[in-house]
Amino acid sequence: MYDLLIKNGVVVTHESSFSADIAINGEKVAAIGFPGFVKSAETVFDAHGKFILPGLIDPHVHMAHPFQGEPSADSVGAASKAAAFGGVTYLIDFAIQWDKSLNLVEVVNNRLKEISGQCYVDFSLHGVPTKSNEESVQAVTLTKKEGINSFKVYMVYRQQGRMVDDAILFRLLEEMKKSGGTLLVHAENVSIAEYNQEKFTSEGLTAAKYFPLAKPNSVEAEAINRVLFLNRLTESNLYVVHVSTKEGVDLIRLAQANGENVIAETCTHYLTLTDEVYERPDGSNFICSPPIRKQADVDALWKGIRDGTLSIISSDHCGFDTRQKQLGEGDFSKTPNGLPGIEARLPVIYSEGVLKKRISINQMVALTSTNPAKTFNMYPRKGALLPGSDADMVILDTDKQLILDQKHLHGNTDWSPYAGMKLTGFANSTLLRGKFLVKNEVFVDNNNYGNFIRLS
Ligand code: URP
Ligand code: ZN
């Protein structure tokens, strides 16, 4: 006797698709077999006509991300509820050392307190040291004991106190080589970005449409080139976040061909939007770093997705609402950076990727679930539907189609970058460790929250 049987669906993994029933006991997948292989279970869910995917993993999420001391509208509860509606069962947020008087272990423990008991899906954290001294290097070893083995550094945002210099970037790569951890890098050339920002500001050119001109492709490309070089020297494990440019993908492809350990991620918005968004009346809503690029870059990113150069699609979810976006009064240099997208990622990638035949549905599973699980050593506990895996899954309804409107979404932001797009393929139901979080499009508030998943 099983606790739960999901029957009559088509199971989709990163490798294949097949009709099967899934039996669940407790938090785990107990068995997968031919349709009808289980005669009875305590609860039965009929997934006829639907796809069953491993729960999506979003390895790049900012919940309640501060700007001028105020957290983004998408609180932990709101963003993680939106995640559940987007089929996401596991996300990785950040423990950023905003307060340099705290060491990284304290920062991690504070962030865990903020998230635990609020987050509806399982979660981990990337540690983000911000001090350009040896303390950041030592912090890596200490933080590993807390179950954190991936770290992110910023090559930009110097004025906000988030950047580390190249010496510490280099030393952190050396440490990752020793510890087997992964270093995520936000690669943008700070000097050119700051120079351009000052120049544009002094000339009064601060509207959103000038933002991509202040951070042209070269700002990303130079920084990716530099960090690839440092990774080559250290033979380390580099993960380049949110790649947005053709030049960036080309550089990463060459490094990978050279046998270097480089994982690269892009995001839903870089694959589906162009810099024309900055001309819109609500253009400043779209301020994010790096900026949204041209169609040639979008095409190059899809090419990079297809040939495996880019192996992960994240959302880089950072949900500021319109009021918060307007805090900068239209001045790009004063506008909080980041876009909401954790919920729309699944229908947007299904519609723009799978239905437009840019990728297969199995590649979509790889890019949004299996590859992040493998990258962060969580496979096959997560990112898989195998006996013994966590029973995390999304039941995808590919008959559901709509013109996306804010009212369809469940986070706290009052706008979506994807509003107005005709989208197909939405999560009908989402299960986290054997329990429905969303069932037939309705949130199941069973007072269950996600677990902190320790990374090794
Ligand atoms: O523009 C971006 N990527 N914002 C995300 C939050 C941050 O500042 O890292
Ligand atoms: Zn980010």
Side-chain angles (χ1 to χ4, degrees), residues 1 6 20 36 52 72 99 101 112 120 122 124 159 167 183 192 211 227 254 258-259 264 288 292-293 337 385 408 430:
M1 187 71 165
I6 311 285
I52 307 169
S72 56
D99 180 347
S101 71
L112 280 177
Y120 290 108
D122 283 349
S124 299
Q159 286 155 351
L183 193 68
I192 301 176
F211 177 61
V227 71
L254 271 179
N258 198 30
C288 62
I292 291 161
R293 306 292 185 182
N337 281 216
L385 285 175
H408 299 125
T430 304

Side-chain angles (χ1 to χ4, degrees), residues 62 65 152 154 157 162 242 288-289 316 318 337-338:
H62 304 267
H65 182 81
K152 176 175 161 190
Y154 291 93
Y157 292 139
R162 276 197 267 172
H242 48 49
C288 62
S289 287
D316 193 3
C318 191
N337 281 216

Side-chain angles (χ1 to χ4, degrees), residues 111-418:
R111 189 69 179 144
L112 280 177
K113 277 190 210 128
E114 282 164 19
I115 296 182
S116 304
Q118 308 280 326
C119 184
Y120 290 108
V121 301
D122 283 349
F123 63 95
S124 299
L125 294 173
H126 305 294
V128 186
T130 61
K131 290 168 95 167
S132 287
N133 62 27
E134 196 61 18
E135 200 190 298
S136 287
V137 181
Q138 285 154 7
V140 166
T141 317
L142 297 172
T143 313
K144 193 173 174 182
K145 297 194 183 93
E146 308 294 315
I148 308 279
N149 201 21
S150 64
F151 299 86
K152 176 175 161 190
V153 288
Y154 291 93
M155 295 172 79
V156 70
Y157 292 139
R158 174 163 45 196
Q159 286 155 351
Q160 291 182 15
R162 276 197 267 172
M163 188 188 101
V164 296
D165 67 21
D166 288 349
I168 297 307
L169 173 58
F170 180 74
R171 287 286 293 114
L172 284 169
L173 283 165
E174 287 187 325
E175 285 310 302
M176 293 301 121
K177 163 87 174 162
K178 280 191 225 154
S179 69
T182 303
L183 193 68
L184 282 69
V185 175
H186 177 143
E188 290 189 290
N189 180 306
V190 68
S191 303
I192 301 176
E194 284 178 358
Y195 172 86
N196 283 345
Q197 184 172 306
E198 272 168 41
K199 184 164 175 292
F200 278 80
T201 304
S202 70
E203 292 168 8
L205 308 177
T206 55
K209 66 180 176 184
Y210 298 107
F211 177 61
L213 305 180
K215 283 187 164 183
N217 286 27
S218 53
V219 164
E220 174 174 283
E222 186 284 327
I224 290 182
N225 193 39
R226 187 167 11 125
V227 71
L228 286 172
F229 184 78
L230 298 178
N231 189 56
R232 190 173 312 141
L233 289 181
T234 52
E235 298 180 344
S236 190
N237 312 308
L238 172 66
Y239 179 127
V240 185
V241 295
H242 48 49
V243 177
S244 68
T245 58
K246 177 181 185 307
E247 293 87 336
V249 189
D250 289 346
L251 287 162
I252 291 162
R253 186 181 291 110
L254 271 179
Q256 290 170 342
N258 198 30
E260 295 159 27
N261 283 331
V262 185
I263 300 278
E265 162 206 274
T266 190
C267 309
T268 323
H269 42 290
Y270 299 118
L271 287 167
T272 57
L273 304 174
T274 66
D275 60 0
E276 285 167 15
V277 295
Y278 296 115
E279 304 273 353
R280 292 169 35 161
D282 61 349
S284 54
N285 278 359
F286 291 83
I287 303 281
C288 62
S289 287
I292 291 161
R293 306 292 185 182
K294 303 229 170 279
Q295 188 60 47
D297 297 293
V298 173
D299 295 341
L301 293 175
W302 279 114
K303 179 168 178 272
I305 289 275
R306 274 194 302 276
D307 69 18
T309 308
L310 303 168
S311 55
I312 293 176
I313 303 175
S314 74
S315 69
D316 193 3
H317 181 90
C318 191
F320 290 102
D321 63 17
T322 310
R323 181 193 61 80
Q324 293 176 314
K325 282 287 189 180
Q326 279 310 313
L327 288 171
E329 296 176 339
D331 179 338
F332 72 76
S333 70
K334 301 198 174 97
T335 302
N337 281 216
L339 305 183
I342 199 163
E343 183 172 358
R345 174 173 166 248
L346 173 59
V348 172
I349 299 304
Y350 184 76
S351 304
E352 292 294 308
V354 179
L355 290 184
K356 293 199 172 166
K357 300 201 181 313
R358 289 167 162 138
I359 53 171
S360 69
I361 193 167
N362 308 97
Q363 282 172 299
M364 181 180 83
V365 170
L367 289 155
T368 57
S369 182
T370 309
N371 293 347
K374 287 181 174 171
T375 300
F376 296 105
N377 293 327
M378 289 310 301
Y379 184 85
R381 176 174 164 196
K382 305 248 180 227
L385 285 175
L386 292 169
S389 299
D390 282 359
D392 295 348
M393 57 198 84
V394 50
I395 300 175
L396 178 66
D397 179 356
T398 54
D399 290 331
K400 182 164 177 171
Q401 191 174 75
L402 41 83
I403 309 284
L404 192 75
D405 185 275
Q406 188 52 35
K407 68 172 191 270
H408 299 125
L409 299 169
H410 299 84
N412 270 353
T413 45
D414 56 351
W415 73 286
S416 166
Y418 311 102

Side-chain angles (χ1 to χ4, degrees), residues 416-429:
S416 166
Y418 311 102
M421 280 175 76
K422 186 174 173 190
L423 297 179
T424 304
F426 290 82
N428 165 275
S429 301

